[in-house]
Amino acid sequence: MKIIYCEDHRLHFPQAELSGGQFVTPFERPSRVEYVLNRLKERKLTQISAPDPVDMKPVQALLDPGYLIFLETAWDEWKAAGMEGEIIAANVPARGMHMDRIPDNIDGKVGYYCHASETAMTQGTWAAALSSVASAQTAQRLVADGADSAFALCRPPGHHATADQYGGYCFINNAAVVADMFRASGAEKVAILDIDFHHGNGTQALFYDRSDVMFASLHGAPQDAYPYYLGYADETGVGAGEGFNLNYPMPPGTPYDVWREALDDSIAKISAWGAEALVVSLGVDAYKEDPISFFKLESDDFTDAGRRIGRMKLPTVFCMEGGYAVEAVGINTVNVLEGFKDA
């Protein structure tokens, strides 16, 4: 399996995250990638290459133009306004407030474009986000050109990013861009399978009214887990997209046998639909020791999950998402990839 990775991810490293009422080192940090790279090399998976330059056309086709301009210019605006720290949203529009008027002040603008204030931005965030989506795009091109699979070691991750908001450590929705690129390259039906512990709210929002991209997400029940306000089982799509959005929310303490049933059901529905290409949002935070999750998967379970996904025999792009038990994130990620290849 070919692996696409860019060193520019290091440009995004906020020094603070608001968690539990205090500032901590962000759970989403550069060392996560180092553990994955080290494990890939230990397992002799060394077909690692840098991405081609980012192609903004597929990104612009999917995301709000004002949002993209904001991401590109936010740091300069923030500093020009005299802000001394990192960009952290302090004011957000709530019920009863205007959602249709964008403030001129950068402090207000940040809140308008952010849906989760744990996610900070730094001087290098925009460049890192572009390198992340470039990795995903390069992986897609490899598969569209005939490779059976490719792994984009994306950082920052993407599945919480919507068309016009960032949050959950995500700025550009890599998996969504890949799915749209598969459509543009000729696939009539594309599936996105999100196995990250947290619901892929951004991906759902981007395709909720579409029938050409099926989205399936296995995640912690929103009553108990971020992003809290989306991810219920009765969210099945709207208009043309009705029936093409599949949510599998599960409660605290969910073991692998229950999680596996949800995986098998999603695979069966994707297969019955006749998907021609698959994008996997590969988060491994369903692991039992993840610090911000509550499922109970063991490392070996990720191998079995990868094998089940591999049995679909679809052209597949894996996009790295979450996983915050850093000493295990490499093992669990590579276990999915090896299981997939052994199917």
Side-chain angles (χ1 to χ4, degrees):
M1 180 182 295
K2 294 186 177 180
I3 300 143
I4 311 301
Y5 161 75
C6 184
E7 284 282 324
D8 284 353
H9 80 91
R10 301 178 189 278
L11 298 173
H12 173 68
F13 188 15
Q15 297 304 294
E17 171 183 337
L18 184 60
S19 177
Q22 60 184 342
F23 285 108
V24 300
T25 302
F27 292 102
E28 203 294 292
R29 60 188 71 162
S31 60
R32 297 175 59 243
V33 170
E34 296 306 315
Y35 281 99
V36 178
L37 288 172
N38 289 340
R39 184 62 174 176
L40 287 167
K41 292 170 184 176
E42 287 175 8
R43 301 297 294 175
K44 311 301 183 186
L45 298 172
T46 55
Q47 295 186 49
I48 303 173
S49 57
D52 299 328
V54 65
D55 180 359
M56 289 303 295
K57 288 183 180 179
V59 180
Q60 292 164 341
L62 200 60
L63 304 188
D64 176 74
Y67 173 60
L68 291 172
I69 292 171
F70 163 77
L71 289 178
E72 184 176 7
T73 62
W75 183 257
D76 289 342
E77 283 194 58
W78 186 257
K79 288 305 173 182
M83 308 295 194
E84 296 186 1
E86 298 173 338
I87 299 176
I88 299 177
N91 303 280
V92 297
R95 287 184 293 274
M97 296 182 178
H98 279 291
M99 298 294 292
D100 58 340
R101 299 181 184 179
I102 305 172
D104 293 328
N105 184 285
I106 185 60
D107 191 35
K109 198 179 294 184
V110 167
Y112 179 85
Y113 285 115
C114 180
H115 64 68
S117 60
E118 88 290 283
T119 302
M121 296 175 67
T122 69
Q123 184 175 11
T125 296
W126 174 241
L130 291 181
S131 77
S132 185
V133 73
S135 295
Q137 290 179 329
T138 301
Q140 188 277 334
R141 291 188 201 100
L142 288 169
V143 174
D145 288 344
D148 61 354
S149 60
F151 171 44
L153 183 45
C154 298
R155 184 183 174 271
H159 72 147
H160 294 306
T162 70
D164 60 0
Q165 285 189 308
Y166 71 93
Y169 313 130
C170 302
F171 301 94
I172 297 175
N173 196 311
N174 304 308
V177 171
V178 167
D180 236 23
M181 288 177 65
F182 270 126
R183 286 285 293 114
S185 62
E188 294 187 4
K189 297 180 178 181
V190 181
I192 303 175
L193 176 59
D194 191 330
I195 63 171
D196 188 282
F197 168 82
H198 301 94
H199 177 247
N201 60 293
T203 313
Q204 172 172 306
L206 283 161
F207 297 109
Y208 205 57
D209 62 353
R210 287 175 54 172
S211 60
D212 55 343
V213 177
M214 178 177 282
F215 175 61
S217 178
L218 285 61
H219 53 269
Q223 301 97 317
D224 300 300
Y226 177 87
Y228 298 114
Y229 312 109
L230 214 60
Y232 291 89
D234 60 0
E235 297 162 11
T236 56
V238 66
E242 176 63 44
F244 295 97
N245 194 86
L246 312 174
N247 282 330
Y248 298 86
M250 290 169 274
T254 293
Y256 182 61
D257 59 344
V258 175
W259 191 91
R260 184 185 63 226
E261 290 179 4
L263 177 65
D264 286 346
D265 189 74
S266 66
I267 288 172
K269 289 177 178 175
I270 289 169
S271 299
W273 179 53
E276 299 163 39
L278 178 67
V279 186
V280 179
S281 275
L282 177 52
V284 292
D285 40 2
Y287 180 57
K288 64 180 182 180
E289 294 179 6
D290 196 276
I292 55 174
S293 309
F294 54 60
F295 288 168
K296 298 300 179 183
L297 273 64
E298 305 278 352
S299 289
D300 288 347
D301 295 332
F302 289 98
T303 306
D304 184 66
R307 190 176 299 116
R308 289 169 186 272
I309 295 169
R311 289 173 187 155
M312 299 171 75
K313 302 300 181 185
L314 289 174
T316 301
V317 171
F318 292 89
C319 293
M320 190 71 200
E321 302 284 3
Y324 309 103
V326 290
E327 294 184 3
V329 69
I331 294 170
N332 296 336
T333 300
V334 175
N335 280 0
V336 173
L337 302 178
E338 291 189 324
F340 178 88
K341 294 300 290 183
D342 290 343

